[in-house]
Amino acid sequence: MIQTLLESLNQKELTETSCTIEIQAAFILSSLATFFGGLIILFIFRIILKISRNWQSVKGPRGILELFSSRRIEANPLRKLYFHGVFRERIEMLLSAQTFVGQVLVILVFVLSIGSLVIYFINSMDPVRRCSAYEDKIVHVDLSFNAFFSFYFGLRFWAAEDKIKFWLEMNSIVDIFTIPPTFISYYLKSNWLGLRFLRALRLLELPKILQILQVIKTSNSVKLSKLMSIVISTWFTAAGFLHLVENSGDPWLNGRNSQTMSYFESIYLVTATMSTVGFGDVVAKTSLGRIFIVFFTLGSLILFANYIPEMVELFSTRKKYTKPYESVRGKKFIVVCGNITVDSVTAFLRNFLNRKAGEINIEIVFLGEVPPSVELETLLKCHSSCTTFVCGTALRCEDLKRAAVENAEACLILANPFCSDFHAEDNSNIMRVISIKNYYPQTRVIIQILQSQNKVFLSKIPNWNWSTGDNIICFAELKLGFIAQGCLVPGLCTFLTTLFIEQNQKVFPKHPWQKYFLNGLKNKILTQRLSNDFVGMTFPQVSRICFVKMHLMLIAIQHKPLFHNCCTLILNPSSQVRLNKDTLGFFIAESSKDVKRAFFYCSNCHRDVQTPELIGKCSCKSRSRQQLTAPTIMVIDTSMNKNKRTNVSEFHMSSGIPTSVSREIYTSLSREVHTSSSRETHTSVSREQGSSVTIANTRFIPNDPGDNDDMLDSSGMFHWCRSVPLEKVVLKRTDKTKHEFRNHIVACVFGDDHCTLVGLRNFVMPLRASNYTRQELKDIVFIGALEYFQREWRFLRNFPKIHIMPGSALYTGDLQAVNIEECSMCVILATPYKPLSSQILVDTETIMATLNIQSLRVICPASVSSKPDVKTTSTFAGYEGKARYQQIPILTELKNPANIHFIEQMGGLDGTIKGTSLHLSTSFSTGAVFSGNFLDSLLATSFYNYHVLELLQMLVTGGINSQLEHYLVKEKPYETNEGYAALLSGRTRCKLGLLSLDQTILSDIKPRKTFGQLFCGSLDNFGILCVGLYRMMDDEEHDQERKRGVRDHQAGQ
């Protein structure tokens, strides 16, 4: 073919003839006539067909007309023959490029179109007003190409559903204006350039061809090829039009104003126009050319301003984010993948980098599946010293290699808690874990999971290893566990949350309770190896020394029995447990520097030291030997804590605090209950008196496992019962007298038969922990749509004392039917995720339900205290001589923490720190509001110190740890062959609870004017570990009803 083109160039002088106006008009009019004539014919047939639909007698013409119609007539035999036949289906398959032959056909059409465009470029070197003679061999080649285009055009026309729409398509217009002139040249025995430059528009098919050939695979390369094809095709087409009109001149002037302009000069003029430069050396002289330049300049401004910068950005981004990360030996880094968005990265960086100067020496490599957006790129530039972005996916080994996962300290996988399909999100993250473990089994993986039932798949991965730091952060399990503990111990969810929230906002407290609360925010959970001088001592002895001498609160230890290899985390162990060497302790303290005192403590050197700051590394021989054998702390800082605790749960470590605690209720960790009378006092909760539930570990002998009244699950950690049909637990409003609930828990759920499951099993399990007796279990009444509970019931049917009231928390009649005025706590769970236009509206139903329940008032009979000097802690108490009211205790879950101001306004709470976040609000500090947004911080906490996450999981889930994960998926009663010791150990584990300082066993502690005296007295006398205070706010003269409404939550009544 190339040789033919070269030979034809040598014969140009012999084959070129002058092209008159009539010949040029014949070429152009043939295309115009074909286009408009065919369009008119199609419209006529469409109109005739529409008219003929009402002619029932006409049968034959309708079959012919149907060929040109977009409508379907089922009874037409011709349609069944042609349009539903095998031949037409084959044509559609060919044109769609779904088969190999179809792909070859599409590629061949594109290649021949480019060949026809090359022929146009060759012919454009001749003057436009000259015609090539028919003896020119190039004309025959071009004629054969157009004959094939005609065949392809016919196939497309035949397969088109709507003929008129097909006629107006871009590719059809190109064929109509380029094919007919070729056949006219055969008739006139001469060839003219004409409108053949329109073949350049076929370049728009370039991305499709490249995808068929698998040259481009990524979204960026596809987008780049589309942009380039648009720019190049527009460039060549505009140059071809200018080349035609400038060389031909204006028709009404018979071409007198024409100028000689080569195709290259036309491209140069178009380029100068598109770039808005306009040198002026080459200009349009014809009227048509200038009119075209006017409109093309406006279009090129949009084209050049939008497409060219985007193409440059795609070029630079592809090189910038596809380069492999170069790990430097000795420099630590982590890889973060999964849900990489602006919001998730912002939250992660805020928590992960929220440390003191000099402590951050780890670089973060984000492995994102798509290039970063402008907002995310700006965020990464602000942290360019410690962040790197690599474009790729954790599901491909090539991308994991580029991110150097094998050299990373850990791989963290972020989940999207706002997705519409939790199950699909968890599955995708689990697949990422499998891919990472297959690529490099030793990689430490920390993953966020949304639903607890999906955790079992991770533990089955062959290379999953809990002991090396692999960890799971389950949002549903932890969030609902926090809320459940808030039902058992009012304010406990706030107490625990404050230990993991980092508060950096500068605030100025206006009231004393705010000052104490902000001081409590400084504390967090830290771990430290204990001094070997504590070996052989009991936990109460060590805890007392740490509190008195070091101002540290030791709450748990990691105990390793002498004849066992596994370590067990024990909360407030009994005096029977004695410390071994290198015991890991869990502290509540302000800084990692403070907990170092427990490691450096020496019984010889520090026995008489009274100032905690003086306890440091000593120089005695015994201490020196110990320093050589004692391992260093694994991870000191627990990241992301502090924040919140307005329930004036404060952490005063000093024994000289002058604050009176005579009327306060505190959170306690208790191992045993000494008398049956005190135990009875703890289990009966009255809102008229300042008593509370004590979390005690009674050492009793379990009942016969065959007795359904006291059965446990296979792990021995939770109460169990035989499966109960849903119909037996459904309540009716008309049968209120049959179910008079007292001291129960009401849970309001907003869900339907299509929404994502909340996972109520995670809410019920802590409330059915086996360290409570069957008599201590509170009834749980769920209010919501019955269709939703039908989906959840298979996870709840084996837990005792569960009831369901079909209805809504927005309807007062449903609330009164479950005797809500007598409940110990009413929980309002957040609405399952729904796509909304505004994040403010995600808590609409929750806020409205809170308003509805807060409007209820319960009148309480007046009672006289047996002790005139002791004030009651009732919820709402009016002035003397007036009826007293109490408000129903509520715990509201908010998905959007910014909506806290709605709760604050409804409660009319005073003393709120204005302009602050949820964790500094009065509602949160009183334990009335909870939000799970702080769970993002646990990812960083788990990386720095996974022991802290294990402790938190044990506190909020009822004692679950990594060893028990595989038991929780089973649904069978406790079997006697599991071992009596395991059952007894589970049932005697520590409890969390509230104890009033008056009229309980703690009333005998003397003196108790300070928190230090109370801590030592309860620990020495009863083995109870007091970890915080939950007390009334300031005794000021305000609106008593509102004031005491806040006190109700704080007093735990």
Side-chain angles (χ1 to χ4, degrees):
M1 177 180 173
I2 298 176
Q3 186 177 0
T4 303
L5 295 177
L6 293 176
E7 292 177 356
S8 62
L9 291 176
N10 297 327
Q11 298 178 355
K12 281 185 180 181
E13 296 294 333
L14 301 175
T15 58
E16 291 180 356
T17 60
S18 177
C19 196
T20 63
I21 298 295
E22 291 77 10
I23 295 178
Q24 297 179 13
F27 280 98
I28 296 178
L29 289 177
S30 64
S31 299
L32 294 176
T34 304
F35 177 74
F36 290 106
L39 191 62
I40 292 173
I41 292 174
L42 293 176
F43 270 114
I44 292 175
F45 271 97
R46 179 70 61 85
I47 294 173
I48 295 175
L49 177 62
K50 187 175 182 180
I51 296 174
S52 66
R53 287 191 307 171
N54 299 326
W55 296 354
Q56 301 295 333
S57 59
V58 179
K59 300 295 184 180
R62 296 185 67 199
I64 300 174
L65 296 174
E66 181 68 17
L67 299 176
F68 304 92
S69 173
S70 63
R71 295 183 176 272
R72 297 170 179 246
I73 300 178
E74 300 298 335
N76 193 332
L78 292 179
R79 183 173 184 81
K80 294 181 180 179
L81 178 62
Y82 294 103
F83 285 83
H84 294 155
V86 178
F87 181 68
R88 183 174 181 275
E89 293 179 357
R90 296 275 181 91
I91 294 175
E92 290 180 348
M93 290 293 292
L94 287 175
L95 297 178
S96 60
Q98 296 181 9
T99 62
F100 176 76
V101 178
Q103 292 177 355
V104 171
L105 178 62
V106 173
I107 295 174
L108 180 60
V109 171
F110 179 79
V111 171
L112 295 182
S113 298
I114 300 301
S116 180
L117 184 62
V118 171
I119 293 175
Y120 168 78
F121 292 155
I122 296 174
N123 291 335
S124 66
M125 292 186 292
D126 301 329
V128 174
R129 305 191 71 172
R130 300 287 298 272
C131 291
S132 300
Y134 194 69
E135 289 76 12
D136 190 352
K137 295 183 180 180
I138 296 180
V139 176
H140 296 281
V141 175
D142 190 44
L143 180 62
S144 62
F145 287 175
N146 283 274
F148 181 79
F149 296 150
S150 301
F151 170 74
Y152 186 69
F153 180 85
L155 293 179
R156 292 170 51 232
F157 180 81
W158 187 271
E161 289 284 344
D162 191 338
K163 309 301 181 184
I164 296 178
K165 182 179 179 181
F166 164 78
W167 201 261
L168 298 175
E169 289 180 355
M170 176 66 72
N171 290 334
S172 300
I173 294 176
V174 171
D175 289 337
I176 291 171
F177 280 90
T178 55
I179 295 176
T182 305
F183 296 103
I184 294 297
S185 66
Y186 176 80
Y187 176 76
L188 297 178
K189 303 302 181 180
S190 62
N191 193 19
W192 181 57
L193 286 178
L195 302 177
R196 286 191 291 162
F197 61 85
L198 292 177
R199 280 291 169 195
L201 294 175
R202 277 287 185 178
L203 290 172
L204 295 174
E205 300 291 324
L206 179 62
K208 179 180 178 180
I209 302 302
L210 294 178
Q211 285 182 288
I212 294 176
L213 297 175
Q214 296 185 353
V215 176
I216 55 176
K217 299 179 181 180
T218 64
S219 59
N220 280 347
S221 56
V222 173
K223 186 176 182 180
L224 180 61
S225 63
K226 287 183 178 180
L227 294 176
M228 291 183 63
S229 62
I230 292 174
V231 173
I232 295 175
S233 61
T234 304
W235 190 20
F236 285 168
T237 305
F241 182 82
L242 284 176
H243 179 258
L244 175 64
V245 298
E246 289 300 316
N247 285 277
S248 300
D250 294 325
W252 54 87
L253 297 179
N254 294 325
R256 291 192 299 269
N257 59 343
S258 63
Q259 64 170 331
T260 302
M261 179 183 291
S262 66
Y263 189 78
F264 175 78
E265 291 176 335
S266 300
I267 292 178
Y268 173 77
L269 176 59
V270 169
T271 304
T273 304
M274 292 177 63
S275 60
T276 67
V277 177
F279 294 106
D281 51 346
V282 179
V283 295
K285 294 182 179 181
T286 63
S287 299
L288 286 177
R290 292 177 178 179
I291 293 173
F292 174 78
I293 289 294
V294 170
F295 291 100
F296 181 74
T297 302
L298 298 177
S300 63
L301 288 175
I302 301 174
L303 183 69
F304 197 86
N306 291 336
Y307 290 179
I308 301 301
E310 192 170 357
M311 291 171 57
V312 174
E313 183 180 358
L314 288 174
F315 270 119
S316 60
T317 302
R318 184 178 181 181
K319 296 179 180 180
K320 182 178 181 181
Y321 297 118
T322 56
K323 294 188 301 184
Y325 173 75
E326 297 180 1
S327 59
V328 180
R329 186 175 182 180
K331 185 177 182 179
K332 299 180 180 179
F333 69 96
I334 62 173
V335 177
V336 182
C337 59
N339 179 42
I340 306 299
T341 61
V342 177
D343 295 334
S344 63
V345 172
T346 301
F348 178 80
L349 293 177
R350 181 177 61 248
N351 297 319
F352 195 86
L353 302 179
N354 195 3
R355 319 189 71 77
K356 294 182 179 179
E359 294 184 0
I360 304 174
N361 57 353
I362 298 178
E363 188 171 356
I364 305 171
V365 179
F366 290 100
L367 184 61
E369 297 184 358
V370 295
S373 61
V374 177
E375 295 83 0
L376 180 56
E377 192 172 17
T378 304
L379 177 64
L380 295 176
K381 288 180 180 178
C382 296
H383 301 86
S384 58
S385 60
C386 57
T387 61
T388 302
F389 189 93
V390 176
C391 190
T393 174
L395 301 176
R396 296 180 55 189
C397 295
E398 297 83 358
D399 295 335
L400 293 176
K401 184 177 181 180
R402 289 194 298 110
V405 172
E406 65 276 9
N407 299 324
E409 295 292 312
C411 185
L412 282 58
I413 302 178
L414 303 179
N416 181 15
F418 301 105
C419 65
S420 57
D421 191 346
F422 287 179
H423 186 69
E425 178 71 11
D426 285 347
N427 287 344
S428 62
N429 285 335
I430 292 173
M431 290 300 298
R432 291 185 176 96
V433 176
I434 297 175
S435 176
I436 294 170
K437 288 294 185 179
N438 287 341
Y439 174 72
Y440 193 72
Q442 288 74 33
T443 301
R444 179 188 175 192
V445 177
I446 305 175
I447 180 177
Q448 291 179 340
I449 288 292
L450 301 179
Q451 294 181 315
S452 59
Q453 60 265 29
N454 294 322
K455 296 173 62 177
V456 64
F457 299 106
L458 291 167
S459 59
K460 294 179 179 179
I461 297 177
N463 297 312
W464 185 268
N465 192 348
W466 295 96
S467 61
T468 59
D470 290 344
N471 223 320
I472 305 172
I473 301 174
C474 180
F475 282 2
E477 181 181 70
L478 294 176
K479 180 187 68 175
L480 294 176
F482 270 93
I483 297 175
Q485 295 297 341
C487 296
L488 294 173
V489 185
L492 182 60
C493 58
T494 297
F495 174 84
L496 295 175
T497 303
T498 57
L499 299 176
F500 294 90
I501 300 299
E502 197 75 28
Q503 174 56 38
N504 295 321
Q505 188 174 0
K506 189 175 183 180
V507 294
F508 301 95
K510 298 179 180 180
H511 303 281
W513 72 264
Q514 295 175 349
K515 176 183 177 182
Y516 299 142
F517 176 71
L518 294 176
N519 287 336
L521 297 183
K522 300 177 182 178
N523 294 280
K524 48 191 173 182
I525 296 181
L526 302 168
T527 58
Q528 176 61 60
R529 298 287 177 184
L530 298 177
S531 170
N532 287 338
D533 283 12
F534 294 131
V535 173
M537 299 177 64
T538 63
F539 178 85
Q541 294 172 341
V542 178
S543 181
R544 197 182 198 282
I545 293 174
C546 291
F547 186 83
V548 175
K549 284 188 169 294
M550 310 175 201
H551 291 187
L552 301 175
M553 183 178 290
L554 178 65
I555 61 174
I557 59 172
Q558 190 182 61
H559 180 66
K560 183 178 181 181
L562 295 177
F563 302 102
H564 295 82
N565 294 326
C566 60
C567 296
T568 305
L569 197 157
I570 307 178
L571 190 67
N572 188 20
S574 65
S575 57
Q576 299 176 354
V577 178
R578 297 186 177 273
L579 272 67
N580 300 324
K581 293 183 63 176
D582 303 331
T583 299
L584 182 67
F586 293 78
F587 297 87
I588 296 180
E590 293 188 7
S591 67
S592 56
K593 181 180 179 181
D594 294 341
V595 297
K596 279 285 188 180
R597 302 167 189 164
F599 177 71
F600 291 128
Y601 178 77
C602 178
S603 57
N604 296 327
C605 303
H606 303 141
R607 180 178 303 173
D608 299 327
V609 175
Q610 301 298 327
T611 304
E613 289 76 10
L614 298 179
I615 298 179
K617 185 176 180 180
C618 62
S619 57
C620 63
K621 294 182 180 180
S622 61
R623 190 62 185 168
S624 299
R625 288 193 298 269
Q626 178 181 322
Q627 293 292 341
L628 296 176
T629 58
T632 58
I633 179 173
M634 190 176 165
V635 187
I636 293 184
D637 212 2
T638 66
S639 97
M640 323 329 84
N641 13 19
K642 323 177 195 175
N643 209 4
K644 302 132 216 74
R645 269 200 83 358
T646 289
N647 42 358
V648 202
S649 308
E650 46 181 322
F651 300 95
H652 284 291
M653 302 301 143
S654 173
S655 60
I657 298 175
T659 306
S660 174
V661 294
S662 60
R663 297 188 306 277
E664 298 171 354
I665 297 178
Y666 72 100
T667 306
S668 61
L669 298 173
S670 173
R671 176 60 46 178
E672 295 188 34
V673 177
H674 295 266
T675 62
S676 60
S677 60
S678 63
R679 173 181 171 182
E680 182 178 354
T681 302
H682 305 326
T683 56
S684 61
V685 179
S686 172
R687 293 206 297 265
E688 290 299 321
Q689 205 167 11
S691 60
S692 61
V693 180
T694 190
I695 302 187
N697 220 344
T698 55
R699 298 182 182 275
F700 62 94
I701 304 299
N703 295 338
D704 185 5
D707 186 5
N708 190 54
D709 292 336
D710 199 7
M711 300 174 65
L712 303 181
D713 70 334
S714 59
S715 66
M717 303 295 290
F718 303 97
H719 287 276
W720 187 92
C721 69
R722 293 183 175 89
S723 298
V724 180
L726 179 63
E727 297 76 18
K728 291 187 177 181
V729 300
V730 176
L731 308 176
K732 297 181 180 179
R733 285 192 293 269
T734 56
D735 299 336
K736 180 180 178 181
T737 56
K738 297 181 182 180
H739 44 78
E740 287 291 337
F741 297 108
R742 294 287 186 277
N743 194 31
H744 57 295
I745 297 172
V746 177
C748 305
V749 182
F750 297 96
D752 51 35
D753 53 347
H754 299 294
C755 70
T756 304
L757 295 181
V758 176
L760 297 177
R761 181 171 179 258
N762 302 290
F763 174 75
V764 174
M765 288 175 64
L767 301 176
R768 295 295 176 260
S770 61
N771 55 348
Y772 295 97
T773 64
R774 184 65 67 118
Q775 294 74 23
E776 291 175 329
L777 299 182
K778 297 182 179 182
D779 289 291
I780 304 175
V781 182
F782 290 104
I783 299 179
L786 183 61
E787 296 80 9
Y788 175 81
F789 292 112
Q790 289 175 347
R791 301 167 57 203
E792 285 267 19
W793 185 244
R794 65 190 181 98
F795 302 107
L796 305 176
R797 60 190 177 189
N798 292 106
F799 293 104
K801 294 187 177 183
I802 296 180
H803 311 275
I804 294 176
M805 170 62 72
S808 173
L810 302 177
Y811 180 57
T812 307
D814 294 335
L815 298 174
Q816 294 176 345
V818 298
N819 206 17
I820 194 172
E821 61 274 5
E822 296 293 336
C823 72
S824 62
M825 182 62 68
C826 178
V827 176
I828 304 176
L829 299 179
T831 306
Y833 177 78
K834 296 179 181 178
L836 297 172
S837 58
S838 174
Q839 285 297 313
I840 299 177
L841 301 178
V842 295
D843 296 315
T844 300
E845 293 175 320
T846 305
I847 295 173
M848 293 177 64
T850 303
L851 175 62
N852 187 33
I853 298 174
Q854 282 185 347
S855 64
L856 301 177
R857 292 290 186 271
V858 181
I859 301 178
C860 301
S863 60
V864 180
S865 177
S866 59
K867 295 183 180 181
D869 58 332
V870 177
K871 294 184 180 181
T872 62
T873 55
S874 58
T875 308
F876 282 122
Y879 296 100
E880 186 176 356
K882 297 182 180 180
R884 294 188 302 162
Y885 297 90
Q886 64 184 20
Q887 197 176 46
I888 298 171
I890 305 175
L891 178 55
T892 303
E893 179 193 358
L894 294 179
K895 277 197 168 184
N896 185 3
N899 290 331
I900 182 61
H901 66 277
F902 293 107
I903 305 296
E904 298 281 274
Q905 292 171 1
M906 288 190 301
L909 301 174
D910 60 336
T912 302
I913 303 176
K914 303 297 182 181
T916 55
S917 61
L918 175 141
H919 303 105
L920 290 177
S921 65
T922 306
S923 297
F924 175 81
S925 62
T926 57
V929 173
F930 175 81
S931 179
N933 68 318
F934 85 98
L935 295 176
D936 292 332
S937 64
L938 297 182
L939 197 63
T941 301
S942 180
F943 170 74
Y944 285 112
N945 192 347
Y946 67 90
H947 295 295
V948 175
L949 182 62
E950 185 179 359
L951 174 64
L952 176 65
Q953 189 179 27
M954 176 179 290
L955 288 174
V956 302
T957 60
I960 301 176
N961 53 33
S962 58
Q963 288 78 14
L964 294 176
E965 291 289 349
H966 62 284
Y967 287 114
L968 300 180
V969 297
K970 301 178 182 178
E971 293 183 354
K972 63 178 182 179
Y974 173 77
E975 300 177 0
T976 55
N977 59 4
E978 295 282 347
Y980 175 78
L983 172 62
L984 186 61
S985 175
R987 304 207 68 167
T988 58
R989 63 189 186 273
C990 191
K991 300 179 181 179
L992 289 170
L994 294 179
L995 277 179
S996 174
L997 300 185
D998 300 314
Q999 301 178 359
T1000 63
I1001 57 177
L1002 299 183
S1003 59
D1004 298 331
I1005 298 177
K1006 303 295 181 182
R1008 56 172 188 176
K1009 293 184 177 180
T1010 64
F1011 181 81
Q1013 294 172 350
L1014 178 63
F1015 179 89
C1016 296
S1018 61
L1019 186 63
D1020 296 340
N1021 298 327
F1022 308 109
I1024 296 176
L1025 191 63
C1026 180
V1027 296
L1029 300 178
Y1030 189 61
R1031 64 185 187 181
M1032 305 287 285
M1033 287 186 177
D1034 308 320
D1035 296 329
E1036 299 175 357
E1037 295 298 331
H1038 290 288
D1039 185 339
Q1040 293 297 311
E1041 182 172 339
R1042 291 185 177 180
K1043 177 74 173 170
R1044 296 180 182 270
V1046 177
R1047 290 180 179 180
D1048 167 57
H1049 298 291
Q1050 289 184 303
Q1053 297 179 345

mmCIF file of all heavy atoms in Angstrom, residues 827-842:
data_model
loop_
_atom_site.group_PDB
_atom_site.id
_atom_site.type_symbol
_atom_site.label_atom_id
_atom_site.label_comp_id
_atom_site.label_asym_id
_atom_site.label_seq_id
_atom_site.Cartn_x
_atom_site.Cartn_y
_atom_site.Cartn_z
ATOM 1 N N VAL A 827 -32.930 3.425 76.715
ATOM 2 C CA VAL A 827 -31.885 3.616 75.707
ATOM 3 C C VAL A 827 -32.541 3.916 74.371
ATOM 4 O O VAL A 827 -33.475 3.215 73.959
ATOM 5 C CB VAL A 827 -31.000 2.361 75.593
ATOM 6 C CG1 VAL A 827 -29.985 2.533 74.477
ATOM 7 C CG2 VAL A 827 -30.291 2.105 76.902
ATOM 8 N N ILE A 828 -32.065 4.948 73.701
ATOM 9 C CA ILE A 828 -32.553 5.298 72.364
ATOM 10 C C ILE A 828 -31.393 5.101 71.395
ATOM 11 O O ILE A 828 -30.455 5.899 71.361
ATOM 12 C CB ILE A 828 -33.069 6.749 72.320
ATOM 13 C CG1 ILE A 828 -34.152 6.965 73.380
ATOM 14 C CG2 ILE A 828 -33.604 7.081 70.936
ATOM 15 C CD1 ILE A 828 -34.634 8.388 73.472
ATOM 16 N N LEU A 829 -31.455 4.012 70.638
ATOM 17 C CA LEU A 829 -30.377 3.681 69.709
ATOM 18 C C LEU A 829 -30.526 4.481 68.426
ATOM 19 O O LEU A 829 -31.642 4.778 67.981
ATOM 20 C CB LEU A 829 -30.396 2.182 69.403
ATOM 21 C CG LEU A 829 -30.180 1.250 70.602
ATOM 22 C CD1 LEU A 829 -30.248 -0.200 70.149
ATOM 23 C CD2 LEU A 829 -28.860 1.535 71.284
ATOM 24 N N ALA A 830 -29.399 4.816 67.824
ATOM 25 C CA ALA A 830 -29.393 5.623 66.610
ATOM 26 C C ALA A 830 -30.033 4.869 65.461
ATOM 27 O O ALA A 830 -30.002 3.640 65.400
ATOM 28 C CB ALA A 830 -27.970 6.035 66.250
ATOM 29 N N THR A 831 -30.599 5.620 64.554
ATOM 30 C CA THR A 831 -31.248 5.044 63.381
ATOM 31 C C THR A 831 -30.201 4.418 62.469
ATOM 32 O O THR A 831 -29.138 5.003 62.261
ATOM 33 C CB THR A 831 -32.010 6.139 62.618
ATOM 34 O OG1 THR A 831 -32.901 6.799 63.521
ATOM 35 C CG2 THR A 831 -32.794 5.549 61.463
ATOM 36 N N PRO A 832 -30.460 3.209 61.943
ATOM 37 C CA PRO A 832 -29.522 2.639 60.960
ATOM 38 C C PRO A 832 -29.307 3.595 59.811
ATOM 39 O O PRO A 832 -30.163 4.425 59.490
ATOM 40 C CB PRO A 832 -30.228 1.350 60.512
ATOM 41 C CG PRO A 832 -31.120 0.998 61.650
ATOM 42 C CD PRO A 832 -31.574 2.296 62.244
ATOM 43 N N TYR A 833 -28.148 3.456 59.193
ATOM 44 C CA TYR A 833 -27.734 4.437 58.177
ATOM 45 C C TYR A 833 -28.738 4.526 57.040
ATOM 46 O O TYR A 833 -29.212 3.522 56.510
ATOM 47 C CB TYR A 833 -26.366 4.063 57.607
ATOM 48 C CG TYR A 833 -25.918 4.989 56.504
ATOM 49 C CD1 TYR A 833 -25.409 6.246 56.801
ATOM 50 C CD2 TYR A 833 -26.027 4.620 55.174
ATOM 51 C CE1 TYR A 833 -25.008 7.104 55.799
ATOM 52 C CE2 TYR A 833 -25.623 5.463 54.155
ATOM 53 C CZ TYR A 833 -25.107 6.711 54.484
ATOM 54 O OH TYR A 833 -24.723 7.567 53.489
ATOM 55 N N LYS A 834 -29.085 5.757 56.692
ATOM 56 C CA LYS A 834 -29.915 6.052 55.531
ATOM 57 C C LYS A 834 -29.264 7.196 54.766
ATOM 58 O O LYS A 834 -28.837 8.175 55.373
ATOM 59 C CB LYS A 834 -31.334 6.447 55.951
ATOM 60 C CG LYS A 834 -32.118 5.338 56.646
ATOM 61 C CD LYS A 834 -33.501 5.828 57.053
ATOM 62 C CE LYS A 834 -34.284 4.738 57.760
ATOM 63 N NZ LYS A 834 -35.619 5.215 58.195
ATOM 64 N N PRO A 835 -29.190 7.096 53.448
ATOM 65 C CA PRO A 835 -28.597 8.198 52.667
ATOM 66 C C PRO A 835 -29.458 9.449 52.746
ATOM 67 O O PRO A 835 -30.615 9.448 52.334
ATOM 68 C CB PRO A 835 -28.544 7.636 51.242
ATOM 69 C CG PRO A 835 -29.570 6.536 51.232
ATOM 70 C CD PRO A 835 -29.630 5.977 52.612
ATOM 71 N N LEU A 836 -28.905 10.509 53.325
ATOM 72 C CA LEU A 836 -29.619 11.770 53.485
ATOM 73 C C LEU A 836 -28.789 12.890 52.884
ATOM 74 O O LEU A 836 -27.574 12.788 52.736
ATOM 75 C CB LEU A 836 -29.912 12.051 54.963
ATOM 76 C CG LEU A 836 -30.825 11.039 55.675
ATOM 77 C CD1 LEU A 836 -30.879 11.333 57.157
ATOM 78 C CD2 LEU A 836 -32.232 11.050 55.090
ATOM 79 N N SER A 837 -29.475 13.970 52.578
ATOM 80 C CA SER A 837 -28.789 15.113 51.985
ATOM 81 C C SER A 837 -27.954 15.863 53.000
ATOM 82 O O SER A 837 -26.991 16.532 52.646
ATOM 83 C CB SER A 837 -29.811 16.065 51.354
ATOM 84 O OG SER A 837 -30.757 16.499 52.329
ATOM 85 N N SER A 838 -28.311 15.767 54.270
ATOM 86 C CA SER A 838 -27.600 16.500 55.315
ATOM 87 C C SER A 838 -27.303 15.570 56.474
ATOM 88 O O SER A 838 -28.162 14.782 56.901
ATOM 89 C CB SER A 838 -28.440 17.691 55.790
ATOM 90 O OG SER A 838 -27.829 18.334 56.894
ATOM 91 N N GLN A 839 -26.085 15.658 56.997
ATOM 92 C CA GLN A 839 -25.695 14.838 58.143
ATOM 93 C C GLN A 839 -26.395 15.286 59.425
ATOM 94 O O GLN A 839 -26.424 14.549 60.406
ATOM 95 C CB GLN A 839 -24.172 14.904 58.341
ATOM 96 C CG GLN A 839 -23.394 14.087 57.341
ATOM 97 C CD GLN A 839 -23.697 12.607 57.431
ATOM 98 O OE1 GLN A 839 -23.725 12.023 58.518
ATOM 99 N NE2 GLN A 839 -23.958 11.986 56.292
ATOM 100 N N ILE A 840 -26.947 16.471 59.431
ATOM 101 C CA ILE A 840 -27.664 16.945 60.622
ATOM 102 C C ILE A 840 -28.937 16.129 60.823
ATOM 103 O O ILE A 840 -29.397 15.953 61.954
ATOM 104 C CB ILE A 840 -27.990 18.450 60.464
ATOM 105 C CG1 ILE A 840 -26.693 19.260 60.333
ATOM 106 C CG2 ILE A 840 -28.806 18.965 61.643
ATOM 107 C CD1 ILE A 840 -26.920 20.734 60.113
ATOM 108 N N LEU A 841 -29.490 15.595 59.736
ATOM 109 C CA LEU A 841 -30.768 14.897 59.810
ATOM 110 C C LEU A 841 -30.637 13.421 60.170
ATOM 111 O O LEU A 841 -31.653 12.735 60.280
ATOM 112 C CB LEU A 841 -31.495 15.025 58.467
ATOM 113 C CG LEU A 841 -31.797 16.459 57.996
ATOM 114 C CD1 LEU A 841 -32.477 16.430 56.643
ATOM 115 C CD2 LEU A 841 -32.655 17.190 59.015
ATOM 116 N N VAL A 842 -29.431 12.905 60.352
ATOM 117 C CA VAL A 842 -29.273 11.480 60.630
ATOM 118 C C VAL A 842 -29.818 11.112 62.001
ATOM 119 O O VAL A 842 -30.166 9.956 62.246
ATOM 120 C CB VAL A 842 -27.788 11.065 60.527
ATOM 121 C CG1 VAL A 842 -27.289 11.236 59.118
ATOM 122 C CG2 VAL A 842 -26.926 11.853 61.505
#
